[in-house]
Amino acid sequence: MTRSSDRPATPDVPKTPMRLGFLLMDNFTLISLASAVEPLRMANQLAGRELYQWTTLSTDGEAVRASDGLLITPDNGMHEPLALDMVFVCGGVGIQRHVTREHVLWLQAQARQSRRIGALCTGSWALAKAGLLDGYECSIHWEFQAAAQEAYPRATLTTRLFSIDRDRATASGGTAPMDMMLTLIARDHGRELSAAISDMFICDRMRGEQDQQRVPLRHVLGTSQPKLLEIVALMEANLEEPIALDELANYVNVSRRQLERLFQKYLSCSPSRYYLKLRLTRARQLLRQTSMSIIEIASVCGFVSTPHFSKCYREYFGTPPRDERQMRLASASVALTPATQPAGSEDDAYVAPRTSSAMQALAQAQGEPTYASVHLR
């Protein structure tokens, strides 16, 4: 048995539920919204009590059409007085056209009230336009990465699935908001709860903040360089037994010199460096996602010896493979706690949402066998 002194510290459970608002922009992506809200619902169900409340918002309280054509009726208009701890902007298709000055002013007002701010999919565009990502690391769907970086150079755009930087939390889209929410829930209420939520949603694993979006090379190169795309595809398919560069060149009927020029011109590195990057990136995934030994990982990623693998890994990522494995096993310890509302503040005029969707869902879940199955200390 584990001695009490050896048990990991458990985050303090707030007495009141954390209140989140989701601002639905026109053409928002429904999958991102669902991926963010469903973990909150399941957290309440598994805990057997209301840990989180959520409400959907639109500019004027009127229905909003999602990118799949479904018309969604929100709970509230964004200007209604609501007691919220955190606000997320749910973006989607054509976000540049849909962010208005009214949105910008409202978001800036939320930040002035010390509310935590977040975004899903392309919602980071709205935050950046409001100046709320200046000096922050953030994530946005890879399709908007280059445009957002050019339009808002003060924001530090990453290619990560999601980014949590102080009081900002941004997810790239698709199912990435689920991974972000699971991370936030783990920080609020412990990894046992987040792991149980992951199991309920049949998630093979919880992707972490350092996991990267897989940006298709075709998006970077377009269709103008079919030979380069073919070479990269060959590299990706042959990581365990790397193909010599001369053979790669022969496969696509170019010279070794032409091969070198293609990589330098379009990928800003040599072919050998790019191949090494692919193998090391694969090794990092295996270190983080599997229990394979470092020796096995070195072998399946095409390294002839473990010391050589460790040297290359440390030089590329700045940390040795052994430390990478240990970091994967370490528990998240920084809590993102709900914002408190000081007595006598201007927020005293705020009231809870008229209808708690969280309580409705929790009441319906009381007959489920998993209800209150995770004990929060």
Side-chain angles (χ1 to χ4, degrees), residues 353-369:
R354 290 190 298 266
T355 303
S356 171
S357 301
M359 283 304 295
Q360 291 179 8
L362 187 59
Q364 293 172 358
Q366 289 183 8
E368 295 295 317

Side-chain angles (χ1 to χ4, degrees), residues 29-77:
T29 50
L30 197 56
I31 188 173
S32 292
L33 174 65
S35 295
V37 173
E38 283 297 295
L40 306 177
R41 176 185 69 84
M42 191 54 65
N44 291 351
Q45 176 176 320
L46 295 177
R49 57 194 175 94
E50 193 179 34
L51 302 177
Y52 297 96
Q53 290 179 354
W54 55 89
T55 186
T56 51
L57 312 168
S58 70
T59 307
D60 52 9
E62 296 299 316
V64 183
R65 196 170 297 280
S67 59
D68 56 11
L70 293 178
L71 198 62
I72 307 299
T73 302
D75 300 309
N76 303 93

Side-chain angles (χ1 to χ4, degrees), residues 25 59 78-79 96-109 126 129-130:
M25 306 298 292
T59 307
M78 69 182 188
H79 293 297
Q96 303 100 315
R97 301 190 304 272
H98 301 311
V99 180
T100 65
R101 177 171 173 76
E102 187 178 5
H103 293 128
V104 167
L105 292 175
W106 184 79
L107 287 168
Q108 291 171 342
K129 188 169 184 176

Side-chain angles (χ1 to χ4, degrees), residues 141-170:
H141 192 281
W142 57 262
E143 208 171 13
F144 282 79
Q145 178 90 20
Q149 189 66 79
E150 183 176 347
Y152 306 108
R154 293 184 179 180
T156 304
L157 272 294
T158 76
T159 57
R160 295 196 294 263
L161 287 174
F162 64 90
S163 301
I164 301 173
D165 186 356
R166 291 160 286 171
D167 54 356
R168 302 287 187 268
T170 53

